[in-house]
Amino acid sequence: MPTLDFPPFRLPPDAEELRTEVRAFLKGILPTLSAGERFKSWNSRSPEFSKAMGAKGWIGITWPKKYGGAEKSFLHRYVITEELLANGAPAGSHWVADRQSGPNILRYGSEEMKDAILPRIVKGECFFSIGMSEPDSGSDLASVRTRADRVEGGWRVNGTKIWTSGAHRSHYAITLLRTSGQREDRHRGLSQLVIDLKSPGITIRPIINLNGKHDWNEVVFRDCFVPDSMMLGEEGDGWLQVTGELAYERSGPERILTNIHVLKELIRIVGRQPGHHAQEVIGKLAARVWSLRQMSLSVAGMLQAGKSPAVEAAVTKDLGTHFQQDLPEIARVLGESDAADENDIEEFLDVCQMATLAAPAYSIQGGTTQILRGIIARGLGLR
């Protein structure tokens, strides 16, 4: 029977040295942001901050120098990501392009596409969304119905994508489409196109979340023309591409640290002399987040070594989702009973409320719990 494998892994010394540099940069730039902006982190979009990151060379840091990258390892990028999340930096504008769209273009895009897009991403001037989920399909990507039909010089796209984060502020969306066969064909006949979101035939409609914010969108394509040069890889390679890129999306620090500010605020308000119960609760939370970090680091090490730890990434994301959804309520209950200074409690409860309203989305981002457990079951030979 197959087993899960999380080999111990430590970051190399030069990656830890980069951490010091990133912290100094964030310390200099973040005090100008409001508390609300800092707490939203990778869901908070600041093109100015992304340009500042680009000027430091910290977007696309793993990419070849010919496209503006620094040819560093994924472990250097891991350190940058951890620090952005731990400090609540507004990294949302360039997040998707840096994490998965750019690497996808680097691996599967034409040379023309790489030259046109990658240097702009590295400078923090070009942002991406992900066009995968659809109405009535959710995260079951094999059942997508949005089609791209062959026409002279390219493809004509019709269909609808949903839960498309930041589409109203992004330049492009890498979009999974059915280019041959029918929905019942599942994994066959799927391809990915890099679609300019300003193209004629695209309508972007807002979806307001529980916090009353506009981040998600419904993106409707009606006879939208996409040139051949914007196809990723070969026609029909879409399933292979999306399953590969989701390993990066599912196991990164954002699946553990998105609302880590709640734990930091909890530790602050219980003071330097917390009671035994508070010590026990905070100790258990710290143990969970530390274990998850070790699992995430292990997956990062396997990815750096060229492996494809899809099952381990799914386990990390599933457990990380539960931790991040449990944290706000555990913190609220402890904060109300053990706050050292009652003057702190009102602001702390606001932080918990914001985190609670954001928490349901963690079950969707990067694949629903049901989809992830299906991947885990298949990987362990249980179905």
Side-chain angles (χ1 to χ4, degrees):
M1 177 179 175
T3 58
L4 295 172
D5 184 23
F6 287 95
F9 185 79
R10 296 178 67 89
L11 290 166
D14 62 335
E16 293 293 359
E17 290 172 7
L18 175 61
R19 186 188 302 281
T20 303
E21 188 179 349
V22 175
R23 284 181 178 174
F25 165 75
L26 295 177
K27 186 177 181 181
I29 195 170
L30 290 184
T32 60
L33 302 171
S34 71
E37 288 173 323
R38 295 181 65 173
F39 286 160
K40 288 185 289 184
S41 193
W42 68 292
N43 291 311
S44 180
R45 300 170 191 274
S46 168
E48 295 76 19
F49 178 78
S50 294
K51 283 188 178 180
M53 286 285 293
K56 296 293 291 184
W58 292 340
I59 301 175
I61 193 172
T62 65
W63 305 352
K65 292 180 180 177
K66 65 181 290 190
Y67 303 119
E71 298 185 0
K72 298 291 186 181
S73 73
F74 285 102
L75 306 176
H76 291 85
R77 184 183 178 278
Y78 191 97
V79 165
I80 294 171
T81 305
E82 274 197 319
E83 291 303 316
L84 293 177
L85 292 166
N87 289 281
S93 290
H94 68 266
W95 192 270
V96 169
D98 181 43
R99 181 182 64 187
Q100 63 196 85
S101 303
N104 247 347
I105 292 171
L106 193 60
R107 186 169 185 179
Y108 302 111
S110 64
E111 202 58 34
E112 176 186 350
M113 188 191 301
K114 294 175 187 176
D115 287 338
I117 294 177
L118 294 180
R120 294 167 57 204
I121 293 176
V122 168
K123 292 178 182 177
E125 298 174 350
C126 182
F127 311 134
F128 271 71
S129 292
I130 302 169
M132 290 189 185
S133 299
E134 295 189 0
D136 303 323
S137 294
S139 294
D140 182 11
L141 300 180
S143 65
V144 300
R145 291 183 293 186
T146 298
R147 292 196 65 91
D149 295 310
R150 172 71 77 179
V151 296
E152 184 177 355
W155 302 85
R156 183 175 59 238
V157 179
N158 283 284
T160 302
K161 295 293 179 180
I162 201 166
W163 314 120
T164 312
S165 297
H168 57 306
R169 295 176 178 171
S170 296
H171 301 89
Y172 297 95
I174 293 184
T175 306
L176 182 67
L177 307 145
R178 191 162 293 285
T179 48
S180 61
Q182 302 299 319
R183 186 182 188 189
E184 294 73 22
D185 292 331
R186 302 289 290 174
H187 304 164
R188 291 176 295 179
L190 296 172
S191 305
Q192 292 201 104
L193 290 172
V194 179
I195 299 181
D196 184 338
L197 291 172
K198 300 298 184 187
S199 302
I202 297 178
T203 302
I204 300 174
R205 297 171 179 152
I207 298 174
I208 306 302
N209 64 24
L210 285 174
N211 274 323
K213 305 296 184 183
H214 175 197
D215 184 49
W216 294 329
N217 298 275
E218 178 187 61
V219 182
V220 180
F221 301 91
R222 291 286 181 267
D223 293 329
C224 175
F225 175 77
V226 181
D228 269 329
S229 60
M230 303 307 274
M231 170 74 75
L232 278 184
E234 301 295 328
E235 192 272 325
D237 284 350
W239 184 254
L240 176 66
Q241 294 167 7
V242 297
T243 52
E245 74 179 273
L246 285 174
Y248 290 98
E249 183 181 353
R250 286 175 174 159
S251 60
E254 64 267 39
R255 304 307 172 199
I256 302 166
L257 301 176
T258 296
N259 60 8
I260 197 64
H261 61 280
V262 177
L263 180 55
K264 294 169 72 174
E265 283 295 292
L266 176 63
I267 292 171
R268 184 184 67 80
I269 70 162
V270 299
R272 292 184 174 276
Q273 301 294 330
H276 290 302
H277 176 63
Q279 291 180 39
E280 179 181 347
V281 172
I282 291 174
K284 288 180 177 177
L285 291 172
R288 287 177 70 180
V289 74
W290 188 253
S291 299
L292 287 164
R293 181 177 186 266
Q294 293 305 112
M295 294 170 67
S296 176
L297 266 179
S298 178
V299 173
M302 288 188 275
L303 289 170
Q304 179 63 27
K307 299 179 180 178
S308 299
V311 178
E312 286 81 0
V315 171
T316 304
K317 198 272 178 179
D318 188 27
L319 294 177
T321 294
H322 282 280
F323 169 74
Q324 294 194 119
Q325 291 179 333
D326 291 346
L327 177 57
E329 179 62 9
I330 294 173
R332 182 192 67 79
V333 172
L334 183 62
E336 286 187 324
S337 63
D338 286 62
D341 185 342
E342 291 187 357
N343 293 323
D344 287 337
I345 192 64
E346 186 171 346
E347 183 178 356
F348 177 69
L349 292 179
D350 286 343
V351 170
C352 291
Q353 181 185 42
M354 185 182 299
T356 298
L357 291 173
Y362 304 150
S363 294
I364 300 172
Q365 296 167 340
T368 65
T369 298
Q370 291 78 9
I371 293 293
L372 292 172
R373 292 183 179 177
I375 292 171
I376 296 166
R378 282 193 295 274
L380 295 178
L382 301 175
R383 57 179 295 191

PDB file of all heavy atoms in Angstrom, residues 245-256:
ATOM      1  N   GLU A 245       0.639  22.357 -11.749  1.00  0.00           N
ATOM      2  CA  GLU A 245       0.747  23.660 -11.109  1.00  0.00           C
ATOM      3  C   GLU A 245       0.041  23.708  -9.763  1.00  0.00           C
ATOM      4  O   GLU A 245       0.408  24.487  -8.886  1.00  0.00           O
ATOM      5  CB  GLU A 245       0.195  24.753 -12.022  1.00  0.00           C
ATOM      6  CG  GLU A 245      -1.299  24.813 -12.162  1.00  0.00           C
ATOM      7  CD  GLU A 245      -1.736  25.958 -13.070  1.00  0.00           C
ATOM      8  OE1 GLU A 245      -1.913  27.070 -12.578  1.00  0.00           O
ATOM      9  OE2 GLU A 245      -1.918  25.716 -14.269  1.00  0.00           O
ATOM     10  N   LEU A 246      -0.974  22.846  -9.560  1.00  0.00           N
ATOM     11  CA  LEU A 246      -1.696  22.879  -8.297  1.00  0.00           C
ATOM     12  C   LEU A 246      -0.844  22.405  -7.124  1.00  0.00           C
ATOM     13  O   LEU A 246      -1.127  22.731  -5.975  1.00  0.00           O
ATOM     14  CB  LEU A 246      -2.979  22.050  -8.402  1.00  0.00           C
ATOM     15  CG  LEU A 246      -4.102  22.717  -9.199  1.00  0.00           C
ATOM     16  CD1 LEU A 246      -5.266  21.764  -9.380  1.00  0.00           C
ATOM     17  CD2 LEU A 246      -4.570  24.000  -8.520  1.00  0.00           C
ATOM     18  N   ALA A 247       0.213  21.637  -7.389  1.00  0.00           N
ATOM     19  CA  ALA A 247       1.112  21.241  -6.295  1.00  0.00           C
ATOM     20  C   ALA A 247       1.749  22.466  -5.673  1.00  0.00           C
ATOM     21  O   ALA A 247       1.943  22.544  -4.464  1.00  0.00           O
ATOM     22  CB  ALA A 247       2.179  20.284  -6.819  1.00  0.00           C
ATOM     23  N   TYR A 248       2.083  23.486  -6.506  1.00  0.00           N
ATOM     24  CA  TYR A 248       2.652  24.728  -5.971  1.00  0.00           C
ATOM     25  C   TYR A 248       1.588  25.497  -5.196  1.00  0.00           C
ATOM     26  O   TYR A 248       1.852  26.082  -4.153  1.00  0.00           O
ATOM     27  CB  TYR A 248       3.181  25.595  -7.109  1.00  0.00           C
ATOM     28  CG  TYR A 248       4.408  25.033  -7.766  1.00  0.00           C
ATOM     29  CD1 TYR A 248       4.315  24.297  -8.945  1.00  0.00           C
ATOM     30  CD2 TYR A 248       5.667  25.226  -7.206  1.00  0.00           C
ATOM     31  CE1 TYR A 248       5.443  23.773  -9.550  1.00  0.00           C
ATOM     32  CE2 TYR A 248       6.803  24.702  -7.798  1.00  0.00           C
ATOM     33  CZ  TYR A 248       6.693  23.976  -8.974  1.00  0.00           C
ATOM     34  OH  TYR A 248       7.805  23.451  -9.564  1.00  0.00           O
ATOM     35  N   GLU A 249       0.353  25.509  -5.720  1.00  0.00           N
ATOM     36  CA  GLU A 249      -0.709  26.289  -5.093  1.00  0.00           C
ATOM     37  C   GLU A 249      -1.140  25.688  -3.771  1.00  0.00           C
ATOM     38  O   GLU A 249      -1.493  26.397  -2.847  1.00  0.00           O
ATOM     39  CB  GLU A 249      -1.912  26.385  -6.044  1.00  0.00           C
ATOM     40  CG  GLU A 249      -3.029  27.242  -5.486  1.00  0.00           C
ATOM     41  CD  GLU A 249      -4.231  27.323  -6.399  1.00  0.00           C
ATOM     42  OE1 GLU A 249      -4.143  26.812  -7.526  1.00  0.00           O
ATOM     43  OE2 GLU A 249      -5.249  27.889  -5.976  1.00  0.00           O
ATOM     44  N   ARG A 250      -1.108  24.362  -3.650  1.00  0.00           N
ATOM     45  CA  ARG A 250      -1.723  23.713  -2.500  1.00  0.00           C
ATOM     46  C   ARG A 250      -0.812  23.584  -1.290  1.00  0.00           C
ATOM     47  O   ARG A 250      -1.300  23.398  -0.185  1.00  0.00           O
ATOM     48  CB  ARG A 250      -2.217  22.314  -2.916  1.00  0.00           C
ATOM     49  CG  ARG A 250      -3.459  22.399  -3.763  1.00  0.00           C
ATOM     50  CD  ARG A 250      -3.909  21.067  -4.295  1.00  0.00           C
ATOM     51  NE  ARG A 250      -5.188  21.235  -4.985  1.00  0.00           N
ATOM     52  CZ  ARG A 250      -5.678  20.407  -5.878  1.00  0.00           C
ATOM     53  NH1 ARG A 250      -4.995  19.333  -6.211  1.00  0.00           N
ATOM     54  NH2 ARG A 250      -6.841  20.637  -6.448  1.00  0.00           N
ATOM     55  N   SER A 251       0.474  23.641  -1.485  1.00  0.00           N
ATOM     56  CA  SER A 251       1.350  23.325  -0.355  1.00  0.00           C
ATOM     57  C   SER A 251       2.126  24.525   0.151  1.00  0.00           C
ATOM     58  O   SER A 251       2.923  24.392   1.068  1.00  0.00           O
ATOM     59  CB  SER A 251       2.359  22.248  -0.790  1.00  0.00           C
ATOM     60  OG  SER A 251       3.138  22.719  -1.882  1.00  0.00           O
ATOM     61  N   GLY A 252       1.923  25.701  -0.426  1.00  0.00           N
ATOM     62  CA  GLY A 252       2.712  26.863  -0.057  1.00  0.00           C
ATOM     63  C   GLY A 252       2.357  27.412   1.317  1.00  0.00           C
ATOM     64  O   GLY A 252       1.356  27.017   1.922  1.00  0.00           O
ATOM     65  N   PRO A 253       3.159  28.343   1.823  1.00  0.00           N
ATOM     66  CA  PRO A 253       2.905  28.923   3.150  1.00  0.00           C
ATOM     67  C   PRO A 253       1.538  29.598   3.269  1.00  0.00           C
ATOM     68  O   PRO A 253       1.026  29.741   4.384  1.00  0.00           O
ATOM     69  CB  PRO A 253       4.035  29.947   3.282  1.00  0.00           C
ATOM     70  CG  PRO A 253       5.109  29.461   2.383  1.00  0.00           C
ATOM     71  CD  PRO A 253       4.409  28.828   1.218  1.00  0.00           C
ATOM     72  N   GLU A 254       0.931  30.015   2.141  1.00  0.00           N
ATOM     73  CA  GLU A 254      -0.371  30.675   2.229  1.00  0.00           C
ATOM     74  C   GLU A 254      -1.465  29.736   2.725  1.00  0.00           C
ATOM     75  O   GLU A 254      -2.521  30.199   3.142  1.00  0.00           O
ATOM     76  CB  GLU A 254      -0.769  31.275   0.875  1.00  0.00           C
ATOM     77  CG  GLU A 254      -0.974  30.279  -0.255  1.00  0.00           C
ATOM     78  CD  GLU A 254       0.292  30.071  -1.071  1.00  0.00           C
ATOM     79  OE1 GLU A 254       1.368  30.038  -0.466  1.00  0.00           O
ATOM     80  OE2 GLU A 254       0.177  29.946  -2.303  1.00  0.00           O
ATOM     81  N   ARG A 255      -1.237  28.427   2.681  1.00  0.00           N
ATOM     82  CA  ARG A 255      -2.225  27.471   3.201  1.00  0.00           C
ATOM     83  C   ARG A 255      -2.099  27.284   4.702  1.00  0.00           C
ATOM     84  O   ARG A 255      -2.842  26.499   5.308  1.00  0.00           O
ATOM     85  CB  ARG A 255      -2.072  26.125   2.485  1.00  0.00           C
ATOM     86  CG  ARG A 255      -2.192  26.223   0.977  1.00  0.00           C
ATOM     87  CD  ARG A 255      -3.463  26.927   0.554  1.00  0.00           C
ATOM     88  NE  ARG A 255      -3.505  27.183  -0.877  1.00  0.00           N
ATOM     89  CZ  ARG A 255      -4.307  28.077  -1.442  1.00  0.00           C
ATOM     90  NH1 ARG A 255      -5.118  28.827  -0.692  1.00  0.00           N
ATOM     91  NH2 ARG A 255      -4.300  28.249  -2.745  1.00  0.00           N
ATOM     92  N   ILE A 256      -1.147  27.967   5.311  1.00  0.00           N
ATOM     93  CA  ILE A 256      -0.900  27.845   6.752  1.00  0.00           C
ATOM     94  C   ILE A 256      -0.946  29.202   7.446  1.00  0.00           C
ATOM     95  O   ILE A 256      -1.442  29.334   8.560  1.00  0.00           O
ATOM     96  CB  ILE A 256       0.497  27.233   6.984  1.00  0.00           C
ATOM     97  CG1 ILE A 256       0.620  25.880   6.300  1.00  0.00           C
ATOM     98  CG2 ILE A 256       0.797  27.090   8.467  1.00  0.00           C
ATOM     99  CD1 ILE A 256       2.051  25.397   6.211  1.00  0.00           C
TER     100      ILE A 256
END
